[in-house]
Amino acid sequence: IKIKGVTREILKEALEQARKARFEILDVMEEIIKEPREELSEYAPKIETFNIDPEKIKDVIGKGGETINKIIAATGVKIDIEEDGQVMIYSADQEKAYQALDMIEDIVREFEVGQIYYGTVTRTTTFGAFVDIGGGKEGLVHISKISKDRVKNVEDYVKVGDKVKAG
C-alpha cells in the first residue's frame, strides 16, 4: 500500500464494511421492488430502433433536412439515422415515438401494384379519385371501382378528406 498510515488491516476492514453496506442496500431494494416492472416509468426516455433501406435515407431526410425536421417538429422526438439504415427515435413519450416511426415507415414503404391500401382522398376528377396512401404517394381509384352502381359524378360517392380503400 502506497498511502502512508493506511495499513493492510485498515484497508481490509474498509472493504469489508463497504461489502456489507452494499448487500444491505440490495436487501432494502429487493424488499421494495420484488421483481422488475412490466412497463417503464412514463418519465423514462424511450428508444425505438429499426432499419430502413440505406437507399431511402435521403427520402427520410428530405431536401435540406426538410422532411425529417417536419417529423421532429410534429412529434417532438430526436431522430438519428446511421449510414447503414439504422434509425433510432428517442422520446419521453412512447406515443410520440410510435407516431414518428409510422411517419418514417410511410416514407420508406414499398408499394406494390394490385395491393389494397387505405388512404385519404386528396382530389377528385371526372374519371376517379386520387388517394394519398402515405409517403407522399397517391393512388387512383378509377370511377368504375368507386361503386358497384354506375357512377355519374365521383363527388356523389367520395369527397376530399374521406378515408377509402385504393388498390
Side-chain angles (χ1 to χ4, degrees), residues 3-167:
I3 303 170
K4 293 192 184 275
V6 178
T7 64
R8 183 181 268 296
E9 291 75 32
I10 292 173
L11 185 59
K12 192 174 181 179
E13 184 179 332
L15 290 173
E16 182 59 29
Q17 286 176 350
R19 188 180 75 76
K20 284 181 183 176
R22 187 175 75 240
F23 284 123
E24 285 178 28
I25 291 169
L26 289 172
D27 288 341
V28 170
M29 288 172 63
E30 193 173 291
E31 272 183 45
I32 294 170
I33 304 173
K34 301 219 182 291
E35 59 188 45
R37 292 189 173 104
E38 301 257 337
E39 291 184 20
L40 287 173
S41 164
E42 65 181 275
Y43 304 108
K46 315 298 187 287
I47 302 173
E48 288 297 322
T49 304
F50 60 102
N51 291 307
I52 62 171
D53 180 353
E55 295 292 318
K56 301 272 186 173
I57 293 172
K58 65 184 180 312
D59 298 333
V60 175
I61 293 173
K63 184 179 176 185
E66 183 178 337
T67 305
I68 198 167
N69 286 331
K70 281 183 184 177
I71 296 169
I72 291 168
T75 59
V77 301
K78 181 181 182 310
I79 301 172
D80 287 335
I81 303 176
E82 300 293 328
E83 288 180 17
D84 65 355
Q86 184 179 35
V87 179
M88 291 157 288
I89 301 172
Y90 308 94
S91 177
D93 183 345
Q94 188 72 53
E95 288 303 313
K96 295 292 185 181
Y98 287 149
Q99 185 181 359
L101 186 144
D102 287 344
M103 293 169 86
I104 293 171
E105 285 182 341
D106 279 347
I107 294 168
V108 301
R109 180 179 297 128
E110 293 289 330
F111 295 97
E112 297 177 27
V113 175
Q115 289 292 98
I116 303 290
Y117 299 98
Y118 290 90
T120 306
V121 175
T122 56
R123 59 193 163 105
T124 59
T125 65
T126 57
F127 56 87
F130 285 90
V131 178
D132 179 2
I133 56 175
K137 301 196 175 48
E138 284 187 329
L140 171 67
V141 178
H142 191 266
I143 192 168
S144 65
K145 302 292 183 187
I146 290 176
S147 175
K148 292 180 180 177
D149 300 327
R150 178 159 160 60
V151 177
K152 289 182 183 176
N153 183 5
V154 173
E155 290 196 356
D156 290 342
Y157 291 85
V158 295
K159 297 191 180 350
V160 173
D162 289 352
K163 303 275 187 198
V164 297
K165 287 194 302 188

